[in-house]
Amino acid sequence: MNEWIWKEAMLDTDFALKLGEVNKFTALEAYIPKMIQKLYIHRYVYENEILVPRSTKDQIDNLISLDQAQIVDAETLLYNSSRAFIYQQTIHQLEKTDSLTRPEGKNWGEVISIAYAFASGIPFLLSDESDLQALLDDELNSGTDKDIQVVRLGDFIMGMKDKGFPRKDAYLIWCCAHRHHIEWAKNIFHKDMWVR
């Protein structure tokens, strides 16, 4: 039986695209099911933000076909009126935190993904946004077991290390995700993340 690191997690666009940067193997398909029991993707993110490379969406489609990932949206909350209300209220609250946030525009996928996770009790959000945990702590989290924790790419890499997965795969994921800062990425990986 697999012991997952994260039981349920919501996938943000940036995280999916960073894992999708790997061309040598299908990183999303290879490691998401080994580390996360059930992955959720908001329909808006799936249909409007995860577009290229096509291989990223193909990997998500494969996870969906294997029932390891699920597309969700406001309609999946209709069976529970209190969750639907929390979802809508959370969207409104998060919209106010950044005046640049616009429906179906800047930050929208992130806002509705957070709102869905909060309303549904999904405790983890896969996102590599550096200030997102602080935002969640300020706006939504209250210090209980219902809080949302952001799993950044570095956390994912450390999870791979803890699970005993191949170092070369983790290195490739990390370097592909940071290809525009490759020397920094190599240095951080070798000296801080996964020292031999």
Side-chain angles (χ1 to χ4, degrees), residues 66-84:
L66 297 170
D67 199 33
Q68 294 167 332
Q70 180 180 345
I71 303 296
V72 295
D73 59 17
E75 288 186 19
T76 58
L77 294 174
L78 291 178
Y79 68 93
N80 187 318
S81 60
S82 63
R83 285 186 176 187

Side-chain angles (χ1 to χ4, degrees), residues 7-11 28 32 36-41 60 63 68-71 126:
K7 186 176 179 183
E8 294 181 304
M10 196 84 189
L11 181 66
L28 276 160
I32 291 283
I36 300 164
Q37 185 175 4
K38 186 72 170 201
L39 183 70
Y40 298 91
I41 306 109
I60 291 171
L63 292 175
Q68 294 167 332
Q70 180 180 345
I71 303 296
L126 301 179

